[in-house]
Amino acid sequence: MNKKRNWRAIFTWTLFGFSMAYALPSAVDMPSWWPFQKKIRGGLDLAGGLELRYTVDWKQSISDVTSKTAESLQLRIVEELVKKDGKNIADVPRELLADYRKKVTITTEDIDRAKLTLVDDATWAVYDAMDSPMASIDERFETSESTSDRTISLLLPDDVAQTIRGQVVTETRDNLEKRVGGMGL
């Protein structure tokens, strides 16, 4: 057992001596005959830090709001179609619900514009009978209707889009500050 402990001690002291000889040129200037001349460079924490740049995809946020509003209006129209047929939306099978959804198609024209097209006059009549359908969904959108081609156009005004953009940027900055600040940086 004693021999085993001696080897451990010899190995540990040899490794310590080698490490000191290797690191010494980083602390002081060594003569040219010294076997290790290369200095150890500091990492990011010692040599200047790190710069992070983040971008916020505010266009995607506005597009998401537009898409969700169009889908909500589509669902509202589908619910009314199901009610008109004397059914409960919770009891309608998925396949039949998909058939109802096909009666109202959504086309996204831009990040702040969407168009819903109703497939036939009966579907348009159900929509037309609805009492202000956008009031319960999102009143920020401007709507225009065309009875000739049975379309409903949704437009998010520029001032509302700018407000959404500002909110998204602020929320992202606050989240980053909380995460980075939480680490003590």
Side-chain angles (χ1 to χ4, degrees):
M1 282 278 185
N2 236 353
K3 290 182 182 183
K4 197 173 194 179
R5 285 189 192 160
N6 288 341
W7 282 105
R8 282 187 189 167
I10 292 171
F11 177 73
T12 302
W13 283 107
T14 304
L15 185 61
F16 176 74
F18 179 77
S19 300
M20 290 303 292
Y22 188 79
L24 201 55
S26 298
V28 294
D29 290 331
M30 299 303 291
S32 61
W33 56 265
W34 192 256
F36 306 108
Q37 291 295 326
K38 192 173 183 180
K39 293 184 177 188
I40 299 173
R41 295 196 292 174
L44 288 175
D45 55 342
L46 300 176
L50 178 68
E51 178 181 354
L52 298 174
R53 291 182 186 233
Y54 287 96
T55 58
V56 178
D57 194 1
W58 56 269
K59 290 180 181 180
Q60 184 63 43
S61 297
I62 294 171
S63 179
D64 289 346
V65 168
T66 303
S67 297
K68 287 178 184 177
T69 303
E71 289 170 4
S72 296
L73 182 57
Q74 178 192 36
L75 181 63
R76 181 98 197 280
I77 295 169
V78 166
E79 286 175 354
E80 291 298 319
L81 287 170
V82 170
K83 283 182 189 176
K84 180 185 169 252
D85 289 343
K87 300 174 185 172
N88 186 358
I89 190 122
D91 299 332
V92 175
R94 287 186 184 198
E95 297 82 22
L96 188 57
L97 195 59
D99 290 339
Y100 279 112
R101 282 186 184 252
K102 288 178 185 175
K103 293 183 179 185
V104 183
T105 58
I106 299 173
T107 309
T108 304
E109 298 176 340
D110 199 2
I111 63 171
D112 59 349
R113 296 168 197 219
K115 184 188 290 185
L116 283 83
T117 306
L118 308 181
V119 102
D120 55 15
D121 289 330
T123 307
W124 183 261
V126 168
Y127 169 74
D128 200 30
M130 292 170 64
D131 186 32
S132 61
M134 285 301 291
S136 63
I137 298 172
D138 195 343
E139 292 181 340
R140 300 177 295 180
F141 278 84
E142 296 174 359
T143 60
S144 61
E145 302 168 355
S146 173
T147 55
S148 61
D149 56 352
R150 295 182 305 273
T151 60
I152 307 159
S153 297
L154 302 176
L155 171 66
L156 188 67
D158 288 339
D159 59 332
V160 176
Q162 292 302 323
T163 302
I164 292 171
R165 177 183 180 177
Q167 288 172 345
V168 168
V169 170
T170 302
E171 286 174 13
T172 303
R173 185 179 36 123
D174 291 346
N175 285 337
L176 286 173
E177 285 177 358
K178 285 178 187 175
R179 290 180 183 176
V180 171
M183 290 186 268
L185 301 176

